């Protein structure tokens, strides 16, 4: 709360307005104020549409709000330009494993992205978690 108030005051200065605006948006995201953070990151991304960091933040915020379709679209766009980014891969796979039906619709894509993650980031701790989730979804019940 104190940081948010500080950044709001700092936005009164034209010289540092956008820096303070960005930090306020990050503060809202860090405090799980998804709606406020999302609207601010949308505005930031409109000002700098090619900024991959802002796009990744938007994808994360959409996923935190439960809009997995929008988050998935943004991660797909990001991976077109940077296919082997560990965080993009992790977050994209996590979105595709949100529930069994999403996984089953995207099963081959999930497997492909997990293989990419294994190839380039073999020590990634989430690979095991992802594989357990897949086993849970594909487990045959008697």
């Amino acid at each position: 709360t104190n940081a948010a108030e500080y950044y709001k005051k700092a936005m009164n200065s034209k010289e540092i307005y956008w820096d303070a605006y960005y930090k306020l948006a990050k503060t809202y995201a860090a405090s799980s104020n998804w709606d406020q953070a999302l609207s601010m990151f949308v505005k930031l991304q409109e000002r700098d549409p090619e900024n991959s960091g802002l796009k990744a933040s938007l994808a994360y915020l959409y996923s935190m709000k439960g809009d997995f379709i929008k988050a998935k679209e943004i991660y797909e766009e990001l991976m077109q330009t940077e296919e082997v980014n560990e965080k993009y891969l992790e977050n994209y796979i996590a979105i595709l494993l949100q529930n069994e039906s999403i996984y089953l619709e995207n099963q081959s894509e999930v497997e492909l992205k997990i293989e990419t993650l294994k190839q380039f980031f073999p020590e990634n701790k989430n690979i095991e978690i992802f594989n357990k989730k897949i086993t849970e979804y594909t487990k045959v019940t008697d």
Side-chain angles (χ1 to χ4, degrees):
T1 325
N2 291 337
E5 291 307 314
Y6 169 78
Y7 293 129
K8 286 178 188 176
K9 288 178 184 175
M11 287 169 55
N12 290 324
S13 169
K14 289 181 182 181
E15 293 81 25
I16 61 170
Y17 177 85
W18 288 109
D19 288 333
Y21 188 91
Y22 172 71
K23 289 178 181 176
L24 179 60
K26 284 180 53 175
T27 300
Y28 286 141
S31 62
S32 302
N33 187 341
W34 309 126
D35 291 327
Q36 192 68 32
L38 182 61
S39 67
M40 293 180 79
F41 271 98
V42 166
K43 188 171 184 175
L44 287 163
Q45 206 259 331
E46 288 171 355
R47 288 181 41 89
D48 189 2
E50 300 306 313
N51 187 314
S52 60
L54 293 175
K55 287 179 186 178
S57 294
L58 280 171
Y60 174 78
L61 291 167
Y62 280 118
S63 70
M64 295 308 292
K65 286 183 50 70
D67 189 343
F68 301 117
I69 293 170
K70 187 69 175 166
K72 179 180 178 268
E73 289 172 1
I74 295 171
Y75 281 121
E76 287 171 345
E77 181 183 331
L78 286 166
M79 288 186 297
Q80 286 178 4
T81 57
E82 195 176 345
E83 185 177 348
V84 292
N85 180 301
E86 186 173 14
K87 286 296 169 199
Y88 298 168
L89 285 166
E90 284 179 326
N91 293 338
Y92 183 68
I93 294 165
I95 288 168
L96 296 179
L97 292 175
Q98 282 300 309
N99 64 50
E100 186 174 357
S101 64
I102 294 173
Y103 166 70
L104 292 174
E105 290 172 19
N106 297 280
Q107 188 172 356
S108 61
E109 180 72 6
V110 172
E111 291 169 6
L112 177 67
K113 296 304 182 189
I114 289 176
E115 285 306 313
T116 303
L117 193 62
K118 285 180 187 176
Q119 178 184 356
F120 291 97
F121 309 99
E123 301 299 318
N124 185 290
K125 305 280 188 238
N126 287 315
I127 294 170
E128 184 179 336
I129 294 167
F130 294 150
N131 286 328
K132 284 181 183 177
K133 191 57 116 172
I134 291 169
T135 299
E136 178 185 316
Y137 291 153
T138 57
K139 191 176 193 179
V140 178
T141 56
D142 296 329

